[in-house]
């Protein structure tokens, strides 16, 4: 076909690995490079990326990533990004800042919606408004409303990074890069360090955009089944407005160290526990444009630490020196790899370093077990061929694959290929060549560019940092004269005025959108055949899976007494990670990797429609190509019936790892913890979630770690009791997703497998009563808060319609966005409605406020009573339909059908709810105000933050929070 005259076609090639025709173009006028991937995939992707090397740690690239989405030339509204979140059928819509690039991807299955998203994003990145007020809002500003009051720093990214830097994992990551790259841009923290962020000026901010957000510095990708000619037309209309500029210069290579270096740093913590340190060994590797070398590096890392049975992971875990293994691999101009331990003692740093190096030396000298290499290669190959990107669009993953080469001046198509390199690597290993062992020697042991980073907790650091920030603010205030102070007050007033001002209707109308008439009236059904195999309820979904069989085997958790429920996460891991009477857990792990695409044990917990009870199942999820399903079923049988639940050493290690991971996730996932805690008093399903994954589970793990040492018999007995109660074909359900042609043979294997499982009568347990709702303040060492408030509307006599989902979408993308994020400075504010349980809750994320945020929640009814325009209703309906119709790959469709079956969600119910969403009206918004008054009056509160913050809230609200220390 003819190509667009404004572009030079550099190469055209069919890339079998991604089932796409790849065309690489260069825009003649500007030099912008475009990768056009033409594929039979309705989930279309557009993305633009810029090299954005940070010049310091003020977070300039990160602030700019936020700011370009706050209004542009064609769309001069405060938040076009949010308008698209509200009124689009997007399957992906976000932006991300990395150490050396900023990426803006969108995706949609709807063609018109896809073009809308692309148009908004192109205008946003190339022609943003970037007002001084946007910089102040998203970056930082002095906030002072009264000359008599003290000033504070406020800004969305400022507070986001205060939250990020409260996470020791984030701090460890930042220091690791800094240690390896002291002389290059990678020493700077692109996300931003709140201690230096106020050094950034508006002029620097503007200049950075002019320099780097230029077509000559852009890498642009299209993927999917849209018109490839129209892609170029859309781009040229934008790119041709520019003259040729300069590409960002290549990041100068970091000079190699002559010898390894040792670095010690600290992070803020409330604990004096000496075993709260991090020790990591970090390597800078040589850049490689060789696909086979990159695949070999992936195999090396996975073979060393890819699972609990991998030799380096196992050595670190069994050493007792720490509680959880750390390992990160990152593709930069000079790639990075590290290994280490979390929750270790800084005094043991030398022991950790010696253990890692000695283990690597032993493996390089004596070899990695052939079965480990085979299993690792098989798992990687299965993953590459399956192309299962989960909930992410495949095109997005291909975009990042191309960027991993493209950004560093190499061929982007090499980031998509793997077949020849994989075949060569497999052949070399099969011939007896010790490829991975040689790589351990050359890239790690003989590589002097290594750092040992020791990160210690410092119980006084947070207080010192707060004092330093206060001193900086006071110094700035002292340096101001009366006119300066008046100007700061005026800046605060003007910013709040702008934040509260409504966009002009004529400007909002410029945002391209679908209409309700464009939406499919009928929800899509998932093919499901229900039958019995050996008397066991079985669901079969005939979907094109490319010869892979996906199995979900569920066991009803209601067969368990409530006192056994907190053991479930440990039991789930123990099934796979303790071995069996026939093979230890290393051999079992190798067998899983060699014969399957993976075996996982998880839990399905959800409210049942119209019931106060939970649908609760332990799920064994496995997948394999059709000629290996017999072995897959044999593995599942072995782990269910023969797992070594008496393996005290492995159980001890599993508990330590789970405890460490839960503690590490408190700051980055604080909103999830407060929501879990809040909802645990509202519905049985949420209570179970808290028992097995919330603060309650963390406290249980701490106690369990001690009981393994003092009362092992009771721990083992509990795990054995779970198996006796749970592994029961009489309380099972089977869910199979595969091609129809593969089903008869698999059904023939499934029947004897089910016949071989234990089968016995059972009684369903009563887990009531739930705990009484209570207001709680949970303290952790963090500079931000997570604030939740909610109720069970059904218990208060309400039965909300599907229209409440539309109102919830609207609140999250308007009122809460404006009040909690834009004005309040939190990273996120949201509302959540579960129509199965009729629970409603508000929440915030990385929030500098607590009581003020609760006031925002309570004022939501008044906001709704002010009325809402037709445009907002229509956009919110569209966004809600997008939520109801997520993009799903075949295995996700099969799993979703299982969940619907177990929770009583029929196609008829889904269609009725869809009609309620599509017909949502102004009257529904008005009625919702009354429902939200119930949240304001009767909701209970769970907040997590620093002790200082919780104490201040209790002082302001007369001790309304019951305080407990979590970390």
């Amino acid at each position: 076909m003819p190509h667009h005259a404004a572009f030079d076609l550099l190469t055209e090639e069919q890339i079998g690995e991604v089932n796409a025709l790849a065309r690489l173009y260069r825009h003649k006028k500007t030099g912008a490079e475009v990768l056009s991937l033409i594929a039979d995939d309705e989930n279309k992707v557009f993305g633009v990326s810029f090299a954005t090397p940070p010049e310091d740690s003020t977070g300039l690239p990160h602030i700019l990533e936020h700011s370009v989405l706050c209004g542009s030339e064609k769309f001069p509204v405060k938040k076009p990004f949010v308008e698209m979140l509200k009124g689009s059928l997007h399957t992906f819509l976000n932006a991300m800042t990395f150490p050396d690039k900023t990426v803006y991807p969108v995706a949609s299955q709807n063609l018109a919606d896809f073009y809308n998203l692309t148009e908004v994003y192109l205008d946003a990145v190339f022609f943003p408004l970037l007002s001084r007020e946007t910089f102040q809002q998203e970056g930082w500003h002095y906030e002072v409303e009264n000359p008599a009051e003290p000033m504070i720093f406020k800004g969305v990214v400022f507070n986001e990074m205060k939250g990020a830097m409260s996470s020791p994992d984030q701090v460890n990551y930042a220091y690791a890069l800094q240690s390896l790259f002291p002389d290059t841009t990678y020493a700077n923290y692109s996300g931003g360090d709140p201690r230096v962020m106020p050094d950034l000026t508006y002029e620097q901010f503007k200049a950075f955009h002019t320099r780097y957000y230029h077509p000559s510095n852009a890498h642009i990708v299209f993927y999917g089944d849209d018109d490839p000619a129209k892609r170029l037309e859309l781009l040229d209309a934008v790119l041709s407005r520019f003259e040729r500029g300069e590409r960002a210069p290549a990041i100068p290579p970091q000079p190699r160290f002559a010898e390894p270096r040792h670095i010690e740093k600290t992070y803020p913590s409330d604990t004096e526990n000496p075993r709260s340190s991090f020790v990591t060994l970090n390597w800078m590797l040589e850049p490689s444009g060789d696909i086979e070398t990159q695949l070999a590096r992936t195999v090396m890392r996975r073979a060393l630490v890819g699972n609990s049975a991998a030799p380096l992971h196992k050595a670190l875990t069994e050493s007792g020196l720490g509680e959880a293994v750390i390992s990160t691999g990152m593709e930069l101009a000079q790639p990075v790899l590290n290994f280490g331990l979390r929750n270790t003692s800084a005094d043991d740093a030398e022991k950790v370093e010696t253990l890692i190096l000695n283990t690597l030396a032993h493996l390089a000298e004596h070899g990695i077990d052939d079965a480990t290499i085979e299993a690792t290669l098989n798992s990687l190959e299965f993953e590459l061929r399956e192309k299962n990107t989960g909930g992410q669009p495949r095109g997005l993953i291909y975009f990042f694959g191309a960027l991993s080469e493209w950004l560093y001046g190499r061929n982007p198509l090499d980031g998509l290929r793997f077949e020849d390199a994989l075949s060569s690597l497999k052949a070399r290993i099969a011939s007896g060549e010790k490829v991975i062992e040689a790589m351990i020697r050359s890239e790690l042991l003989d590589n002097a560019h290594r750092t040992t980073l020791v990160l210690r907790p410092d119980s006084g650091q947070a207080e010192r940092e707060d004092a330093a920030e206060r001193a900086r603010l006071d110094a700035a205030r002292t340096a101001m004269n009366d006119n300066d102070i008046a100007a700061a007050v005026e800046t605060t007033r003007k910013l709040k005025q702008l934040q509260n001002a409504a966009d002009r209707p004529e400007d909002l109308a410029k945002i391209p959108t679908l209409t309700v008439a464009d939406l499919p009236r009928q929800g899509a059904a998932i093919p499901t055949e229900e039958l019995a195999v050996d008397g066991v309820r079985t669901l079969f979904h005939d979907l094109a899976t490319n010869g892979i069989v996906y199995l979900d085997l569920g066991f009803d958790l209601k067969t368990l007494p409530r006192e056994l429920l907190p053991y479930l996460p440990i039991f789930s891991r123990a099934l796979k990670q303790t071995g069996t009477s026939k093979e230890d857990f290393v051999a079992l792990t190798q067998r899983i990797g060699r014969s399957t695409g993976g075996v996982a044990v998880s839990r399905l917990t959800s409210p049942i429609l119209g019931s106060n009870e939970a649908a609760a199942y332990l799920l064994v999820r496995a997948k394999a190509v059709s000629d290996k399903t017999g072995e897959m079923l044999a593995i599942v049988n072995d782990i269910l019936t023969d797992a070594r639940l008496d393996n005290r050493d492995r159980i001890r290690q599993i508990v330590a790892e789970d405890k460490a991971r839960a503690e590490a996730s408190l700051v980055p996932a604080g909103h999830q913890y407060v929501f879990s805690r809040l909802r645990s008093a509202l519905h049985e399903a949420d209570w179970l979630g808290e028992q097995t994954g919330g603060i309650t589970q963390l406290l249980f793990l701490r106690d369990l770690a001690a009981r393994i040492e003092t009362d092992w018999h009771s721990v083992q007995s509990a795990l054995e009791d779970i198996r006796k109660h749970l592994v029961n074909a009489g309380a099972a359900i089977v869910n199979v997703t595969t091609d129809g042609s593969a089903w008869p043979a698999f059904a023939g294997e499934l029947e004897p497998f089910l016949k071989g499982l234990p089968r016995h009568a059972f009684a369903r347990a009563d887990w009531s009563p739930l705990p009484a709702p209570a207001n709680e303040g949970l303290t952790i060492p963090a500079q931000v808060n997570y604030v939740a408030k909610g109720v069970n509307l059904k218990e208060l006599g309400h039965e909300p319609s599907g229209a409440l989902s539309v109102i919830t979408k609207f609140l999250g993308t308007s009122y809460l966005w404006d009040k909690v994020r834009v004005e309040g400075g939190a990273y996120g504010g949201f509302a959540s409605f579960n129509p199965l349980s009729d629970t409603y809750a508000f929440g915030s994320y990385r929030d500098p406020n607590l009581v003020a945020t609760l006031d925002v929640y309570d004022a939501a009814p008044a906001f709704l009573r002010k009325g809402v325009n037709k445009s907002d209703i229509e956009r919110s309906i569209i966004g809600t339909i997008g939520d109801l119709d997520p993009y799903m790959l075949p295995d996700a469709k099969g799993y979703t059908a299982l969940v619907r079956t177990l929770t009583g969600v029929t196609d008829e119910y889904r269609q009725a709810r869809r009609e309620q969403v599509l017909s949502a009206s102004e009257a529904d918004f008005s009625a919702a105000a009354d429902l939200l008054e119930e949240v304001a009056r009767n909701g209970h509160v769970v907040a997590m933050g620093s002790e200082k913050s919780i104490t201040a809230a209790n002082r302001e609200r007369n001790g309304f929070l019951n305080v407990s220390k979590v970390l």
Side-chain angles (χ1 to χ4, degrees):
M1 63 169 289
H3 300 285
H4 198 286
F7 293 85
D8 286 325
L9 178 64
L10 305 181
T11 187
E12 180 176 85
E13 184 178 335
Q14 185 71 35
I15 307 291
E17 289 88 337
V18 299
N19 295 326
L21 175 64
R23 291 177 178 153
L24 182 62
Y25 295 95
R26 181 177 292 123
H27 190 242
K28 292 177 181 178
K29 186 178 180 184
T30 64
E33 293 187 359
V34 181
L35 177 59
S36 181
L37 295 169
I38 303 162
D40 185 19
D41 189 340
E42 65 179 353
N43 200 11
K44 292 161 277 289
V45 171
F46 163 78
V48 57
S49 176
F50 303 97
T52 51
E55 298 162 3
D56 50 40
S57 292
T58 58
L60 202 167
H62 189 187
I63 296 168
L64 194 55
E65 174 227 306
H66 282 237
S67 300
V68 301
L69 297 171
C70 292
S72 63
E73 181 182 276
K74 287 174 68 174
F75 310 112
V77 299
K78 292 188 298 182
K79 47 184 184 180
F81 172 74
V82 180
E83 295 302 325
M84 300 307 289
L85 276 177
K86 185 192 305 179
S88 163
L89 298 176
H90 62 272
T91 54
F92 191 89
L93 179 66
N94 212 334
M96 297 85 96
T97 303
F98 295 88
D100 53 12
K101 63 180 178 285
T102 308
V103 185
Y104 296 88
V106 296
S108 180
Q109 299 175 83
N110 181 285
L111 183 62
D113 188 48
F114 177 66
Y115 287 143
N116 291 345
L117 292 168
T118 300
E119 182 184 11
V120 170
Y121 259 46
L122 280 170
D123 202 61
V125 298
F126 288 117
F127 308 109
L129 299 180
L130 297 185
S131 68
R132 187 178 293 273
E133 289 76 20
T134 294
F135 168 73
Q136 292 166 339
Q137 171 184 290
E138 299 299 321
W140 74 275
H141 65 278
Y142 294 122
E143 176 122 332
V144 56
E145 297 188 40
N146 186 311
E149 295 175 353
M151 291 193 311
I152 62 171
F153 289 125
K154 187 173 276 191
V156 172
V157 176
F158 181 83
N159 284 310
E160 177 191 351
M161 297 315 297
K162 273 202 162 187
M165 299 306 280
S166 296
S167 165
D169 290 85
Q170 288 271 8
V171 175
N172 191 69
Y173 160 80
Y175 281 138
L177 278 190
Q178 193 180 84
S179 74
L180 289 172
F181 299 99
D183 307 309
T184 81
T185 186
Y186 293 131
N188 302 315
Y189 193 27
S190 62
D193 184 339
R195 293 170 295 187
V196 298
M197 201 174 286
D199 294 338
L200 181 64
T201 68
Y202 175 64
E203 291 70 28
Q204 291 171 319
F205 168 77
K206 288 277 288 182
F208 194 91
H209 180 270
T210 301
R211 170 67 184 87
Y212 293 109
Y213 279 57
H214 189 282
S216 302
N217 188 44
H219 297 100
I220 301 170
V221 166
F222 276 95
Y223 166 86
D225 62 1
D226 55 303
D227 182 355
K230 186 166 183 179
R231 296 173 176 180
L232 302 183
E233 292 173 13
L234 288 170
L235 288 178
D236 183 55
V238 174
L239 303 180
S240 61
R241 294 179 56 185
F242 291 83
E243 300 302 321
R244 185 178 287 265
E246 294 182 3
R247 186 172 296 282
I251 295 172
Q254 167 66 47
R256 299 199 67 83
F257 298 164
E259 58 185 19
R261 300 181 180 181
H262 184 95
I263 292 111
E264 295 208 11
K265 297 287 185 179
T266 61
Y267 71 91
S269 174
D270 284 350
T271 183
E272 298 291 345
N273 183 353
R275 284 178 64 89
S276 295
S277 295
F278 291 60
V279 177
T280 52
L281 269 65
N282 314 283
W283 282 268
M284 184 186 80
L285 309 180
E286 284 297 326
S288 172
D290 177 66
I291 307 170
E292 188 171 337
T293 298
Q294 293 172 11
L295 279 176
R297 282 177 176 165
T298 300
V299 173
M300 176 180 72
R301 179 168 177 259
R302 293 188 181 189
L304 289 172
V305 294
N307 54 60
S308 297
L312 181 55
H313 194 295
K314 186 169 181 285
L316 285 166
T317 303
E318 292 180 350
S319 70
L321 292 171
E323 293 185 339
V325 174
I326 303 168
S327 179
T328 305
M330 182 173 294
E331 284 297 322
L332 302 172
Q334 292 165 290
V336 169
L337 180 61
N338 70 11
F339 307 112
L341 280 171
R342 175 193 290 119
N343 286 17
T344 185
S345 169
D347 294 338
D348 287 334
E350 187 175 345
K351 293 179 182 177
V352 174
E353 178 183 293
T354 300
L355 175 61
I356 291 173
L357 294 176
N358 285 350
T359 302
L360 292 174
H362 177 83
L363 294 170
E365 178 69 24
H366 300 285
I368 300 177
D369 186 272
D370 289 345
T372 294
I373 298 293
E374 181 188 359
T376 304
L377 272 170
N378 179 74
S379 296
L380 177 60
E381 182 172 7
F382 189 101
E383 179 183 309
L384 290 170
R385 298 192 191 288
E386 183 190 21
K387 304 181 185 71
N388 191 334
T389 53
Q392 304 291 358
R394 282 176 170 155
L396 178 65
I397 306 306
Y398 301 153
F399 181 19
F400 281 111
L403 276 179
S404 67
E405 303 290 333
W406 208 359
L407 187 69
Y408 307 116
R410 303 190 293 263
N411 185 350
L413 302 188
D414 285 347
L416 307 177
R417 301 184 178 104
F418 64 82
E419 286 288 3
D420 291 345
L422 182 62
S423 295
S424 174
L425 179 61
K426 288 170 63 179
R428 290 169 61 197
I429 291 173
S431 73
E433 182 182 348
K434 296 297 184 182
V435 180
I436 305 306
E437 290 83 353
M439 183 169 275
I440 292 172
R441 174 69 63 190
S442 62
E443 302 220 333
L444 301 178
L445 293 170
D446 294 343
N447 181 359
H449 200 103
R450 183 184 83 232
T451 62
T452 299
L453 172 63
V454 181
L455 185 66
R456 300 172 180 264
D458 183 338
S459 59
Q461 184 169 332
E463 186 176 345
R464 292 195 305 274
E465 289 178 356
D466 285 347
E469 181 178 309
R470 186 72 260 159
R472 178 171 185 167
L473 286 161
D474 291 345
R477 180 66 174 265
T478 301
M480 292 178 176
N481 58 33
D482 290 346
N483 290 336
D484 295 330
I485 293 172
V489 172
E490 175 60 16
T491 294
T492 301
R493 186 200 66 78
K494 183 180 178 183
L495 188 56
K496 288 186 179 294
Q497 183 183 50
L498 287 170
Q499 290 167 340
N500 282 303
D503 288 309
R504 298 189 308 168
E506 59 266 34
D507 288 334
L508 279 171
K510 295 174 183 177
I511 301 284
T513 184
L514 303 173
T515 68
V516 171
D518 295 322
L519 304 177
R521 200 84 199 179
Q522 189 75 28
I526 299 171
T528 301
E529 179 184 353
E530 183 165 341
L531 58 156
V533 176
D534 193 46
V536 177
R537 187 183 189 189
T538 301
L539 307 178
F540 165 57
H541 314 286
D542 183 356
L543 293 166
T545 62
N546 199 25
I548 296 172
V549 175
Y550 296 95
L551 168 70
D552 305 307
L553 173 62
F555 297 98
D556 192 346
L557 291 175
K558 293 289 283 190
T559 61
L560 293 180
R562 64 184 290 152
E563 64 269 15
L564 292 178
L565 298 175
Y567 292 91
L568 277 170
I570 302 306
F571 175 80
S572 299
R573 286 191 63 188
L575 290 180
K576 276 183 61 182
Q577 297 182 21
T578 56
T580 69
S581 63
K582 300 186 291 289
E583 53 195 346
D584 63 21
F585 90 99
V586 174
L588 175 61
T589 303
Q590 292 167 344
R591 181 180 166 206
I592 292 171
R594 188 169 60 244
S595 303
T596 76
V599 175
V601 184
S602 61
R603 292 174 303 282
L604 187 166
T605 306
S606 172
I608 297 173
L609 181 64
S611 170
N612 292 325
E613 287 197 42
Y617 284 78
L618 182 88
L619 289 181
V620 180
R621 309 194 66 198
K623 55 188 175 182
V625 293
S626 54
D627 63 349
K628 291 189 176 180
T629 52
E631 175 63 0
M632 176 183 76
L633 290 171
I635 291 169
V636 172
N637 179 78
D638 287 349
I639 67 172
L640 286 172
T641 62
D642 197 28
R644 289 284 309 277
L645 302 180
D646 61 343
N647 190 336
R648 183 177 183 176
D649 289 341
R650 280 299 299 144
I651 300 295
R652 178 189 292 115
Q653 292 158 10
I654 289 169
V655 170
E657 288 175 354
D658 275 11
K659 180 178 76 69
R661 287 170 183 156
E663 290 171 343
S665 67
L666 282 171
V667 172
H671 59 306
Q672 296 174 10
Y673 279 97
V674 295
F675 260 21
S676 174
R677 191 78 168 178
L678 175 87
R679 287 170 164 161
S680 65
L682 303 181
H683 194 278
E684 183 180 83
D686 298 302
W687 172 80
L688 177 59
E690 171 68 11
Q691 294 293 306
T692 57
I695 298 294
T696 301
Q697 172 67 192
L698 172 58
L699 300 178
F700 172 79
L701 289 171
R702 289 173 177 166
D703 175 69
L704 187 61
R707 287 202 292 118
I708 287 172
E709 308 307 323
T710 61
D711 189 15
W712 166 246
H713 174 75
S714 72
V715 175
Q716 181 186 339
S717 177
L719 296 174
E720 295 284 4
D721 283 348
I722 290 176
R723 178 157 59 188
K724 289 173 188 173
H725 282 284
L726 199 57
V727 182
N728 176 10
I733 186 168
V734 174
N735 192 59
V736 179
T737 306
T738 191
D739 305 280
S741 59
W743 167 244
F746 183 66
E749 296 173 323
L750 186 61
E751 184 170 4
F753 161 77
L754 292 172
K755 202 176 293 291
L757 290 178
R759 191 178 304 235
H760 50 80
F762 66 93
R764 302 187 87 237
D766 180 6
W767 293 342
S768 61
L770 301 184
N775 294 331
E776 292 188 277
L778 309 170
T779 67
I780 58 173
Q783 296 178 293
V784 289
N785 305 304
Y786 307 87
V787 186
K789 182 173 184 176
V791 296
N792 186 314
L793 293 169
K794 184 178 179 180
E795 288 186 355
L796 297 173
H798 302 284
E799 293 186 11
S801 79
L804 187 55
S805 295
V806 180
I807 289 107
T808 301
K809 167 69 73 173
F810 173 67
L811 285 172
T813 53
S814 57
Y815 175 71
L816 294 171
W817 183 281
D818 290 339
K819 295 297 182 182
V820 177
R821 180 185 171 103
V822 174
E823 293 181 43
Y827 187 54
F830 36 85
S832 172
F833 167 55
N834 188 330
L836 298 186
S837 61
D838 289 330
T839 53
Y840 203 96
F842 293 106
S844 69
Y845 181 67
R846 291 183 178 173
D847 190 346
N849 308 303
L850 199 162
V851 171
T853 296
L854 292 173
D855 290 340
V856 169
Y857 300 160
D858 291 348
F863 170 77
L864 288 178
R865 290 192 177 105
K866 290 179 181 177
V868 58
N869 61 52
K870 284 188 175 181
S871 172
D872 280 329
I873 295 175
E874 184 147 348
R875 287 182 186 274
S876 299
I877 289 172
I878 294 165
T880 305
I881 291 294
D883 295 338
L884 295 180
D885 294 339
Y887 177 73
M888 291 185 286
L889 295 171
D891 65 313
K893 289 181 179 179
Y895 179 77
T896 299
L898 169 67
V899 174
R900 290 173 182 170
T901 298
L902 294 176
T903 57
V905 175
T906 64
D907 287 342
E908 292 74 20
Y909 165 80
R910 291 178 57 247
Q911 189 60 37
R913 182 169 177 239
R914 188 183 193 88
E915 294 292 341
Q916 292 168 351
V917 167
L918 288 167
S919 60
S921 66
E922 193 170 351
D924 291 309
F925 277 69
S926 179
D930 296 333
L931 290 180
L932 297 188
E933 287 287 6
E934 297 280 20
V935 183
R937 285 194 302 267
N938 299 300
H940 72 280
V941 174
V942 176
M944 188 162 69
S946 69
E947 184 177 357
K948 178 181 176 182
S949 177
I950 300 293
T951 301
N954 262 344
R955 192 181 306 119
E956 188 172 346
R957 286 278 181 95
N958 299 316
F960 78 117
L961 296 174
N962 299 311
V963 181
S964 56
K965 184 174 181 177
V966 176
L967 190 62

